Amino acid sequence: MSIRLLAAAALLLSWTVSAQAAGGMVVSAHSLATQSGIAMLEHGGNAFDAAAAVALDVGVVEPAGSGIGGGGFFLLYIAREDRYVMLDARETSPQLAGHGEVYETQSSIDGPQSAGVPGLIAGVDHLIHEYGRLSRTKIAAPAIRHARDGFAVSTRYRSVAKWRQKVLAISQAGDIYLDRGNVPDEGYLIRQAALAETLERFSRLGADDFYRGQTAGRLVADMRRDGGLIRESDLAAYRVIERNPVEFDYRGCRVVSAALPSSGGLVLAEVFGMLSRDDLAAMSESDRAHLLVEVMRRAYRDRAAYMGDADFVRPPDDLLSPVRLKRLREGIDMSRATPSSSLPPALALSGSGANTTHFSVIDAEGNMVAATLSINYGFGSGYVSPSTGILLNDEMDDFVTRPGQPNVYGLVGSRANHVAPGKRMLSSMSPSFVIGPERTLLTGTPGGSRIISMVMQSILAFVENRKPPEDWLQKPRFHHQYLPDEIQHESGAFTADVIEQLRNRGHKLRQIRPYGNMQAIVWNREKGTYIGLVDPRGEGVAVTFPAGSKH
Ligand code: GLY
């Protein structure tokens, strides 16, 4: 079947897939990447092999969202050990980026200076080596093939390429991701020959090639020539880190989510801690919306004030203490919005990217992976290292890079998230598991600062057991992040009546374009069934293993 036909056929499978007694499921933002994960299960691999293949391949076929020029977080459940662990493959700041307020670049969004030291290859290598069963060669094969032979441009690709066309056009990236400077037509094949060679070297030589070998040498030579900051010593010093995830209980469910340097787990723990005594289901729609907005406001304020790389800064010990969270909840006036300016101020300003990708994988043994990977903005920095074909991230923008000035997303931050050599920039990526009495949810999404509130809304839908699950991802979303002091919402998130009631309480509302691209799985452990949930805003695909178990 041609790539185009495969994509069209895959779209028919998208949105939701239910399966009885199947041997696994993969849900990702692209049909080819999902199929690559399934192929690993067919080869006898486990969920970790499948996740490694998806991580490599989704960066090839959805280059706007992630890739080996970026990083991310893999949340794992290792069934035989009954253990959760987070692989932190987040980028680090190069030495040359300096410290805190002296970080000076032309841009933290566009071009080679905006790139942090990539972590994805270290993460994938670790995943394969420590937890997988298959060879690197087998796992990398689909990504190499798709980079060399090409993948077909889709509607979604076109819209992100249009947004980033200007920056792509000024470097070699334009030769790869555009068609003679124009946004390519649907079906046009994007081929990434140099990237295929780099991936092939990884498949033969492992992460050593990327961080200390030929790829490292080439990447640094390109960086020196083109003004980037990454040097040999930055690459050689890069390490993937195993971290304990954040864990907490909410209404009889265990939530397991990303730890610092992602703010996701802590913000979610604060939100649900504040809500622990509230019966949301019994509330009017406007009370419920008001309360959710107010808890988000407070948790995002704490994100801004206290959070950064835990290896450099420590959040206050009582951040999640029940006493503190109860006090925060008691400070919420149900009849009036709390102006963000009346809360204790957070110091400076920083942002968080809009693109990124998420996928979820489960296998017959009950191993699980929820992974959120990123190169930050659409097509990252827009800079491709010509000799390696690696599209570099612009993750440096997730630090507080310009104290006192708002960045494009207006998220605020403090000294806790200032630049320092080797430090990891604060993230919002929140791959999460929610373990209920009978069912488990694997969830996550791209969406910059709004990731956490989207994951929050998926957790609520799961805990409240709303029917049917197929509707969870369709429901229009809303968000508050402390600053700017406004409720951002998709069309249809609130009725006219609720909008009026929220305005009467002093909330400012702003309708924004649809956002997010969640790829989730609901596993009914009692019945042995899966439901794959694919965000209708994207082009993701859920497939079960073996293929015959699709319904
Ligand atoms: N670059 C998006 C995030 O880490 O939150």
Side-chain angles (χ1 to χ4, degrees):
M1 207 187 284
S2 76
I3 287 175
R4 240 186 131 168
L5 273 178
L6 182 62
L11 277 178
L12 297 176
L13 300 176
S14 63
W15 197 22
T16 58
V17 170
S18 305
Q20 314 266 342
M25 178 174 260
V26 179
V27 191
S28 89
H30 197 285
S31 58
L32 292 175
T34 294
Q35 293 292 352
S36 301
I38 290 290
M40 297 307 123
L41 298 179
E42 281 165 0
H43 289 314
N46 58 18
F48 310 118
D49 297 303
V54 176
L56 291 174
D57 199 23
V58 80
V60 170
V61 298
E62 194 203 29
S66 69
I68 64 169
F73 303 113
F74 296 84
L75 186 65
L76 314 183
Y77 175 66
I78 301 119
R80 67 164 192 272
E81 299 172 32
D82 190 20
R83 177 167 72 95
Y84 298 100
V85 68
M86 179 180 101
L87 299 191
D88 170 359
R90 182 68 162 163
E91 297 88 335
T92 55
S93 169
Q95 300 282 327
L96 289 176
H99 288 262
E101 300 185 16
V102 299
Y103 179 73
E104 277 173 16
T105 60
Q106 284 171 338
S107 166
S108 59
I109 295 175
D110 299 335
Q113 290 187 4
S114 58
V117 182
L120 192 75
I121 282 287
V124 168
D125 202 48
H126 186 83
L127 188 58
I128 297 171
H129 194 258
E130 294 298 316
Y131 300 105
R133 278 182 202 139
L134 299 179
S135 68
R136 224 177 21 240
T137 326
K138 200 151 240 153
I139 287 168
I144 297 171
R145 192 172 65 248
H146 294 142
R148 197 185 48 226
D149 299 346
F151 70 91
V153 164
S154 66
T155 316
R156 190 174 173 86
Y157 180 100
R158 280 179 54 79
S159 88
V160 189
K162 187 153 186 267
W163 165 37
R164 298 289 278 159
Q165 185 175 0
K166 242 192 191 147
V167 66
L168 288 173
I170 56 181
S171 81
Q172 179 124 6
D175 299 340
I176 303 168
Y177 299 114
L178 299 175
D179 177 9
R180 285 159 293 173
N182 300 313
V183 174
D185 290 336
E186 270 188 52
Y188 177 91
L189 281 188
I190 302 291
R191 291 194 174 91
Q192 303 165 84
L195 181 64
E197 279 177 31
T198 299
L199 285 165
E200 205 273 323
R201 275 196 303 279
F202 166 67
S203 102
R204 275 190 294 114
L205 306 167
D208 221 41
D209 167 71
F210 190 95
Y211 292 98
R212 282 166 287 274
Q214 204 183 117
T215 297
R218 289 183 183 198
L219 180 58
V220 170
D222 288 347
M223 283 261 138
R224 284 184 194 279
R225 189 192 55 239
D226 295 337
L229 305 178
I230 299 171
R231 296 293 179 265
E232 288 90 345
S233 55
D234 297 311
L235 288 165
Y238 188 85
R239 297 283 178 272
V240 61
I241 300 173
E242 289 209 350
R243 296 190 190 274
N244 291 326
V246 171
E247 295 191 35
F248 61 92
D249 293 321
Y250 177 67
R251 303 229 141 209
C253 295
R254 186 85 179 146
V255 180
V256 182
S257 189
L260 290 173
S262 170
S263 56
L266 289 180
V267 171
L268 288 169
E270 282 201 52
V271 159
F272 287 108
M274 281 186 254
L275 293 173
S276 62
R277 287 184 187 76
D278 291 294
D279 184 359
L280 290 171
M283 286 183 188
S284 71
E285 213 186 316
S286 57
D287 276 355
R288 178 187 166 100
H290 172 79
L291 179 57
L292 290 176
V293 162
E294 291 301 325
V295 295
M296 281 191 247
R297 182 198 306 279
R298 284 157 177 80
Y300 270 91
R301 190 216 79 94
D302 286 351
R303 178 195 195 278
Y306 305 125
M307 297 185 202
D309 183 346
D311 295 338
F312 287 72
V313 287
R314 239 178 97 112
D317 289 339
D318 71 342
L319 188 76
L320 299 180
S321 82
V323 175
R324 178 172 184 272
L325 296 179
K326 184 162 174 275
R327 203 176 56 237
L328 287 176
R329 171 64 186 90
E330 285 167 358
I332 295 173
D333 179 346
M334 285 304 287
S335 67
R336 293 218 58 75
T338 309
S340 290
S341 57
S342 72
L343 296 175
L347 296 177
L349 297 158
S350 84
S352 198
N355 231 269
T356 307
T357 198
H358 178 86
F359 64 85
S360 301
V361 182
I362 187 163
D363 68 19
E365 292 153 49
N367 295 309
M368 305 191 290
V369 182
T372 313
L373 311 176
S374 183
I375 51 173
N376 200 24
Y377 237 40
F379 290 95
S381 64
Y383 169 78
V384 168
S385 138
S387 66
T388 63
I390 298 171
L391 175 61
L392 269 301
N393 69 85
D394 56 355
E395 221 73 66
M396 291 301 285
D397 194 59
D398 275 351
F399 280 119
V400 176
T401 55
R402 287 150 291 161
Q405 286 174 49
N407 92 338
V408 274
Y409 295 102
L411 262 181
V412 295
S414 70
R415 278 185 188 283
N417 191 29
H418 273 182
V419 178
K423 189 174 174 184
R424 292 162 195 235
M425 53 296 282
L426 186 61
S427 172
S428 299
M429 293 188 284
S430 314
S432 301
F433 302 137
V434 189
I435 301 98
E438 289 166 18
R439 301 167 312 145
T440 297
L441 172 71
L442 293 75
T443 185
T445 180
S449 54
R450 299 186 197 106
I451 289 174
I452 310 172
S453 63
M454 284 186 268
V455 171
M456 174 193 93
Q457 283 160 76
S458 72
I459 294 174
L460 277 175
F462 175 82
V463 171
E464 291 171 347
N465 198 8
R466 275 185 230 142
K467 300 260 188 311
E470 287 78 354
D471 287 354
W472 297 356
L473 308 197
Q474 260 199 315
K475 199 170 156 47
R477 297 165 171 149
F478 64 99
H479 171 77
H480 196 293
Q481 61 179 43
Y482 168 58
L483 290 175
D485 191 349
E486 62 185 16
I487 301 174
Q488 298 166 5
H489 66 93
E490 293 182 323
S491 163
F494 306 118
T495 61
D497 186 42
V498 170
I499 288 179
E500 197 191 323
Q501 292 190 47
L502 289 169
R503 287 208 173 111
N504 288 343
R505 291 180 208 200
H507 291 288
K508 199 172 143 215
L509 283 92
R510 184 161 67 93
Q511 187 180 314
I512 57 174
R513 288 176 9 167
Y515 59 89
N517 194 11
M518 188 167 275
Q519 316 295 334
I521 296 175
V522 180
W523 172 29
N524 188 318
R525 302 191 307 277
E526 300 259 298
K527 296 185 183 151
T529 56
Y530 307 122
I531 303 174
L533 302 178
V534 174
D535 201 318
R537 296 160 188 79
E539 297 171 347
V541 170
V543 173
T544 52
F545 169 75
S549 61
K550 276 196 293 266
H551 281 240

